[in-house]
Every structure is written in structure tokens, then in C-alpha cells.
Amino acid sequence: MNKYLRNAAFLFGVTLSFVCGPALSQKLTVAEPGRLFQYSPLYFAVEKGYFKQEGLDVSILSVGRRDLAMKAVIQGQAFASVHDPVEASLAKSRGADVKLIAPVVNVAALWLTVDKDITLDSKSWRGKRIAIPTPPNTINSIFLKELRENGWVEVDRTTYKMKGDDDPSRYLRILYGAFGTELALMMNGQANMTVALEPTASVLVVKAGRHIIKDYPAVIGRFLNSTINVTAETIKNDRATVTKFINALTKAYRYAAKHPDELEQVALKWFPNTDPTVMRAAIQRMIKAGSFPADTIFTKESYYKNLEYLGLGEPNHSALQIKFEDIADTSFAEAASKAYQ
């Protein structure tokens, strides 16, 4: 190439860089069932630029339900989804080749939150009403286990009685409804009890004078509550992008675990209508529970713990047939964990 051609090529390259600017980030969508406080570590990774450091432009799309979030991934409308891994296992049982690749919530982040006159003695539950999201879900399974272990027997799907007590005025009534309605039912006095996520638990404690009588993270231990899910095809065809995604998440988790004040600030930004006092209480409770993961590694035991509780409420659920080895891919998390020690 003569010097005139070399100069022309150089000038063309310079001009192109000015016109086009730096290389664009790869755009990815993560589908979520709804904007949930427990997904704060994922929001932290977005807000603090961890994905951008990996050349990824990640946006979060709320689709209304966890089955729709999973469907968005299967149909190629989203790169990944975030929700209970049971939804991925259910999809797998129906023939979709999906994989769990990272945790977002590592414990059963739920608290039995009740009126002041209710205690852990389940006799105090007589004649009360508990608000629970319509099953199948972990909340329902956990509370059904609670009832069985405390001598309550089913009258019908929404009514339980203490064994031997046939007085309907002392029956416990379950108010099933959509996720999120339990707060309103508690606040307006229609319900006396709920198994609450955060920040609902802290709203009820701080703003409504209720109290927590059972800390399920402490009782149950490690529990794979929410995961990042992708298709096996994505892993096969675009390992580089999955690697970047998990690298970003790993670094974000590790930083957030050491800087809860910054995690709190991000949560306040993503949930601007939540009282800062409530938000602070919710963050502290989640951190104390070990809910927010400090790493992207997850275990077989935590997956099966989720299925164990699912089986209590839904013994014939098809997700129960899916083995950890068939749905989990921990290779990306393991590599990232070693790389960012």
C-alpha cells in the first residue's frame, strides 16, 4: 500500500470513529415478574454500572407474572429472567431447555408478621385470618407446613381448625389473592397475619405496629429462592455473553455485601415511594438473614430445599421431577468466583 492509500485509510478510520463514537454496548433484557425489593442485588448491578464494565447494556422488564418472565426467555424476547427457580423447573418439565445460572435470593426471605395479640403459640391463631398469595408458591407451602406441625387440620382449601375443635368461630381462614394484596388486607384489618416479603414486613412493623413472630431464613437455612434463568441454547451459542453477565453479577454481589449503605441507596432509588426508615429496616433484615448473596455460586442442597417445601403444598407438581444436574449450570459462577476472589 502506498503512502497516499495509507493516509486515506487512516483518515477514514479517524473520521469513522468521530461519526460512530465508541463501540456500542450489547443490549440485554432481563424479564422479571414485577419490581420486587428482594431483587435489589440485581438492580444494584445495573445501577452501579457493573454490566456496563463488561460491555453489556442491561435493562429490566417487568411483565406481571413469573410464568410470563420465563416465557419471554423461552421465546427469545429476553436474554434472562429472574424469579423462583420452580418456574424454570416447571418449564423444563414441559420440554423447555432452560438453565439456572445464578442466585438472586439465597434464603426463604419471609417473616410471619402478625397482630400484636398473636404469638408463636398457634392456639392464638384461632379465629384469625391470614393473607397469602394464591398458590402454588413458597409462601403457601411454608405456612401449610406450619399448620400441620402445630396440629391444624384442613376443613376446606381456605379453612383450617385445631384438631378436635369444631367451633367455626375458632377456625383459621386463609385469604388467597394476588402477590402484594396481603399488605392492604393487613393494613385495613381484613387480615391478622401474613407471611411477608420485604419491605412488606418492615412496613407492617414500622408503620402499623405489627410484630414478627417467626424468622423463616433462620429456621429453614439455605433455600434457593430466586434465580437468573437462561435457555440452554443461549449458553451453547453465546457463552461469552453469559460469562460477562455472571462476571458483572459476581462483582456487584461482592461489593454490595461489603457496602450495605450503598445497596440501601440503590434500593431507595428503585423504590422511591418507600419510606427511608422502612427501607433501612428492610435492608438490615435482609442482610441479617443472609438473603442477599455475596457470590453467584449456588448449591444442589438449596435447590432441593425449595422443592421440598413445594412438595408440601403441591405434592404432584411436575417441577418436583426435575433434577439439579439437569437444570443448573454452575460453571459460569464457579469460574467468576475464582477469578474475583
Side-chain angles (χ1 to χ4, degrees):
M1 182 184 291
N2 63 42
K3 67 178 182 178
Y4 299 106
L5 289 176
R6 284 198 301 271
N7 289 341
F10 172 76
L11 289 172
F12 177 76
V14 170
T15 302
L16 191 63
S17 69
F18 275 109
V19 172
C20 299
L24 296 176
S25 297
Q26 182 180 0
K27 292 185 178 294
L28 301 177
T29 299
V30 177
E32 64 176 3
R35 186 57 40 85
L36 296 178
F37 174 78
Q38 61 181 338
Y39 298 158
S40 290
L42 173 62
Y43 306 150
F44 185 87
V46 173
E47 187 68 29
K48 289 293 189 175
Y50 285 95
F51 290 117
K52 289 190 181 298
Q53 291 173 16
E54 297 288 333
L56 305 176
D57 182 5
V58 173
S59 60
I60 310 295
L61 175 66
S62 295
V63 296
R65 300 199 313 260
R66 73 187 197 188
D67 61 319
L68 296 180
M70 188 76 264
K71 183 179 287 188
V73 173
I74 294 168
Q75 295 180 344
Q77 298 164 341
F79 167 78
S81 61
V82 53
H83 45 67
D84 192 320
V86 165
E87 193 63 45
S89 297
L90 178 60
K92 181 83 171 177
S93 74
R94 293 171 174 170
D97 199 357
V98 295
K99 297 289 185 181
L100 320 176
I101 58 172
V104 179
V105 184
N106 249 341
V107 299
L110 298 161
W111 291 267
L112 185 52
T113 310
V114 299
D115 289 353
K116 282 292 188 181
D117 64 333
I118 298 174
T119 69
L120 260 180
D121 181 352
S122 71
K123 292 184 178 67
S124 70
W125 306 354
R126 288 171 168 163
K128 304 300 185 182
R129 298 174 303 279
I130 183 164
I132 291 180
T134 302
N137 55 64
T138 300
I139 292 173
N140 183 66
S141 297
I142 283 175
F143 192 68
L144 289 185
K145 184 174 188 289
E146 194 77 64
L147 290 175
R148 291 167 187 168
E149 290 180 347
N150 283 282
W152 291 80
V153 294
E154 182 178 326
V155 176
D156 58 46
R157 180 172 174 269
T158 61
T159 309
Y160 283 76
K161 66 177 183 177
M162 287 290 287
K163 191 173 182 178
D165 186 348
D166 295 319
D167 182 350
S169 70
R170 294 200 290 265
Y171 289 175
L172 175 68
R173 315 282 176 174
I174 300 178
L175 307 179
Y176 285 126
F179 268 98
T181 56
E182 58 272 13
L183 177 59
L185 291 171
M186 287 288 288
M187 293 297 281
N188 65 25
Q190 288 180 262
N192 315 102
M193 309 170 64
T194 188
V195 179
L197 296 164
E198 284 290 10
T200 297
S202 290
V203 170
L204 291 171
V205 171
V206 174
K207 296 293 185 180
R210 299 331 200 266
H211 70 137
I212 291 170
I213 60 172
K214 198 151 195 178
D215 179 336
Y216 287 110
V219 172
I220 296 172
R222 283 295 171 205
F223 184 107
L224 192 58
N225 190 304
S226 299
T227 51
I228 299 291
N229 319 279
V230 299
T231 64
E233 183 179 7
T234 295
I235 291 175
K236 178 182 177 182
N237 297 333
D238 200 359
R239 291 190 66 85
T241 299
V242 178
T243 297
K244 292 175 184 177
F245 189 94
I246 297 300
N247 286 350
L249 212 54
T250 300
K251 289 184 282 186
Y253 284 2
R254 291 193 172 181
Y255 185 87
K258 296 177 180 178
H259 300 84
D261 54 328
E262 293 188 39
L263 182 61
E264 179 185 324
Q265 290 306 310
V266 168
L268 283 169
K269 183 173 181 179
W270 282 63
F271 298 90
N273 296 323
T274 303
D275 185 303
T277 304
V278 169
M279 185 62 70
R280 190 166 296 111
I283 287 281
Q284 290 174 352
R285 197 181 324 277
M286 292 285 277
I287 290 171
K288 182 180 178 181
S291 175
F292 296 142
D295 207 332
T296 46
I297 288 184
F298 57 106
T299 67
K300 178 190 299 187
E301 291 74 20
S302 64
Y303 170 76
Y304 284 123
K305 180 65 73 172
N306 189 323
L307 295 191
E308 174 190 333
Y309 275 82
L310 173 66
L312 294 173
E314 303 286 328
N316 299 315
H317 201 292
S318 57
L320 297 172
Q321 307 305 315
I322 304 303
K323 296 179 179 179
F324 181 80
E325 293 79 7
D326 295 331
I327 197 166
D329 187 334
T330 61
S331 63
F332 298 94
E334 288 164 2
S337 184
K338 290 177 182 177
Y340 302 107
Q341 289 181 352

